[in-house]
Amino acid sequence: RGGSREAPAAIRWASESIETYSPTQNRDLEGIALTDVVDLDLAGCDGSVLEAVERVRHALEDVHAFPLMLGGEHTMTVGAVKAALQHHPDLGVIMLDAHLDLRDLYEGTMWSHATTLARILDSIPADRVAVIGARSGTRDEWTKAASLAGVSRTGALDAHVWAQLSGRPLYLSVDIDVFDPSIAPGTGNPEPLGLQVSDFVTLLSVLREGMVVGCDLVEVSPPYDPSGQTAILAAWLAREMLLAFVR
């Protein structure tokens, strides 16, 4: 269910159809400094996901501003988290995803969209990680998830989980499949009973009061949605996250 490499371009295209101003937050992209560092060149990785992850890590380690990564396969989040750890050793992670991604191996490899959170837990203690919107996973994954700071099958962030995470720097990863397929069909492995946009707005109002130091939006796959509505939602999400977290 990997995202398309064309996703960032599709999101940039969709961004032309939305305003830079957010009436929900009363902020405008024109009021903050932004730089597009264009697409990361993954040519030469020869299908090695680990090499691609390392390129993401190297690219982001030297970024001393708030990064928003657009993609693409969710495994790339591992590289972004590793980069953030270089600047914030006490980093916590909040992941919005329909799937737990806690398999240690998937189709014979440790580096896959289905192992993303397992690889993050190689570097970050489980009690510093929460998953929101999860509604799919193996029995073994759900057992492993009990060690996390929290797992919500809805868009809610429990107060006790937020109390545990809010005092530390946080990395936010948003897999587009956390949303219901009725509003975001353009992804490789959609799951029913997903979040609505209003759920995200409510969650964002909480997260903006914390210390989010980086984020990503992944698994957007334009070929699965010729209408373009998923890309438009992704562009809207990117705007809202930038306005919420860039001070």
Side-chain angles (χ1 to χ4, degrees):
R1 65 174 170 76
S4 167
R5 70 175 61 186
E6 300 172 354
I11 294 171
R12 283 195 291 268
W13 163 80
S15 69
E16 298 175 2
S17 68
I18 65 171
E19 302 292 347
T20 58
Y21 173 73
S22 167
T24 303
Q25 300 190 58
N26 191 26
R27 295 195 74 193
D28 199 308
L29 290 177
E30 294 182 354
I32 61 177
L34 295 173
T35 298
D36 184 355
V37 296
V38 304
D39 295 345
L40 179 63
D41 183 9
L42 299 180
C45 290
D46 298 324
S48 170
V49 178
L50 177 57
E51 173 63 22
V53 167
E54 285 300 298
R55 290 197 188 186
V56 170
R57 179 176 67 83
H58 285 301
L60 292 178
E61 274 182 342
D62 295 330
V63 174
H64 297 281
F66 183 92
L68 166 62
M69 181 177 70
L70 302 174
E73 227 267 8
H74 203 174
T75 320
M76 298 304 100
T77 295
V78 182
V81 168
K82 285 179 176 290
L85 276 168
Q86 298 300 309
H87 302 288
H88 307 282
D90 58 339
L91 186 74
V93 173
I94 295 178
M95 193 165 83
L96 276 63
D97 199 322
H99 309 86
L100 288 171
D101 292 351
L102 277 170
R103 304 187 194 199
D104 193 55
L105 288 172
Y106 183 70
E107 296 184 343
T109 178
M110 295 174 61
W111 298 95
S112 160
H113 56 79
T115 69
T116 298
L117 189 52
R119 297 289 73 80
I120 288 173
L121 293 180
D122 290 340
S123 303
I124 296 181
D127 62 1
R128 283 161 40 184
V129 177
V131 181
I132 295 173
R135 52 197 186 274
S136 179
T138 66
R139 184 184 297 273
D140 182 57
E141 285 180 281
W142 283 103
T143 300
K144 290 178 181 178
S147 66
L148 300 176
V151 177
S152 171
R153 300 188 191 189
T154 68
L157 179 59
D158 291 345
H160 78 277
V161 176
W162 182 235
Q164 188 172 341
L165 296 177
S166 60
R168 66 176 67 252
L170 295 171
Y171 186 90
L172 174 66
S173 179
V174 180
D175 186 325
I176 198 71
D177 70 22
V178 78
F179 291 94
D180 195 80
S182 63
I183 60 173
T187 190
N189 197 14
E191 289 284 342
L193 301 177
L195 271 61
Q196 299 296 317
V197 176
S198 57
D199 298 318
F200 184 83
V201 171
T202 299
L203 178 63
L204 200 64
S205 68
V206 176
L207 295 178
R208 68 182 298 180
E209 300 304 319
M211 296 186 291
V212 178
V213 297
C215 64
D216 63 49
L217 175 61
V218 297
E219 295 289 344
V220 176
S221 187
Y224 286 105
D225 180 14
S227 74
Q229 73 179 56
T230 307
I232 291 172
L233 172 61
W236 183 92
L237 293 168
R239 182 192 73 185
E240 293 300 304
M241 287 192 290
L242 285 171
L243 293 177
F245 305 135
V246 177
R247 308 302 182 186

